[in-house]
Amino acid sequence: MFSKQLLDAMNEQMKNEFLSAYLYLAMAGYFEAEDLPGIANWMRVQALEELTHGEKFFHFICDANGRTDLRAIDAPQNDYDSPLDCFVYSLKHENFVTDSINKLMDLARQDNNHAAQIFLQWFVTEQVEEEASFGLIVKKLQRIGDDGNGLLRLDEELALRTFVPPAAGA
Ligand code: FEO
């Protein structure tokens, strides 16, 4: 059973995951407009992953007899100064998500809610991966600078990412 405060924070995090999907889809649109379909593909796959993160919260809240509360999502930023500017923005967003997951874990600990702590553990680990993958692309883009060929090579590399749906019950 959730405390009122923990349930509110769980619902807020569910919103943040769906908000992330919306943001990354907006970024995919930016890369499509920049004629970088490979990077757009990477962002679309990321958006799909974020939807599965939001769904994980939805199912956990329901399974633990909490009441889901789907909240309004603000319009995301659609335009960026450059691919690097876009990925720096996305890395900052992931830093924000990590911070909110960590606060949620602190709250679950305070409440002695063991089930919520075990559920959140997956997200704590996932955020390490998320920050690493966004951070690596930021570093690559910094190295690429104004090298158009380097950007096209990165576009080809990121075109290879595919969406792998989570296993049933995962
Ligand atoms: Fe689900 Fe990228 O945070």
Side-chain angles (χ1 to χ4, degrees):
M1 194 63 183
F2 295 110
S3 68
K4 197 168 176 298
Q5 197 186 7
L6 183 58
L7 179 60
D8 177 66
M10 282 278 182
N11 274 306
E12 189 62 17
Q13 188 58 36
M14 174 169 65
K15 184 198 82 175
N16 285 336
E17 300 293 345
F18 287 127
L19 174 158
S20 300
Y22 212 38
L23 172 64
Y24 295 141
L25 199 55
M27 290 180 172
Y30 162 74
F31 285 112
E32 289 285 1
E34 291 293 305
D35 297 320
L36 292 164
I39 308 181
N41 166 70
W42 193 96
M43 278 296 183
R44 266 201 310 276
V45 171
Q46 187 63 35
L48 289 171
E49 283 200 0
E50 300 297 354
L51 288 179
T52 69
H53 296 174
E55 279 190 347
K56 275 180 192 276
F57 275 93
F58 182 88
H59 289 299
F60 182 74
I61 292 168
C62 291
D63 287 350
N65 291 319
R67 183 66 175 95
T68 51
D69 177 26
L70 280 97
R71 299 173 179 179
I73 295 176
D74 289 337
Q77 184 170 324
N78 282 290
D79 290 311
Y80 300 88
D81 291 339
S82 66
L84 176 59
D85 175 50
C86 184
F87 269 91
V88 167
Y89 189 106
S90 63
L91 179 57
K92 280 190 188 142
H93 178 71
E94 286 301 322
N95 296 152
F96 157 75
V97 173
T98 299
D99 193 48
S100 61
I101 292 281
N102 288 341
K103 285 185 177 137
L104 201 43
M105 180 62 105
D106 290 344
L107 209 50
R109 282 220 183 97
Q110 269 175 36
D111 279 5
N112 225 9
N113 189 323
H114 296 178
Q117 287 175 59
I118 290 166
F119 169 75
L120 290 168
Q121 189 61 54
W122 184 89
F123 284 90
V124 171
T125 310
E126 174 71 6
Q127 280 312 117
V128 175
E129 277 179 33
E130 297 266 86
E131 289 195 8
S133 61
F134 280 94
L136 184 60
I137 296 172
V138 166
K139 282 185 198 145
K140 285 184 179 181
L141 284 167
Q142 283 168 336
R143 235 179 254 166
I144 286 167
D146 292 330
D147 174 7
N149 284 335
L151 188 58
L152 290 179
R153 275 199 301 278
L154 182 66
D155 191 59
E156 284 169 8
E157 179 193 329
L158 299 191
L160 302 177
R161 186 180 187 191
T162 55
F163 175 64
V164 181

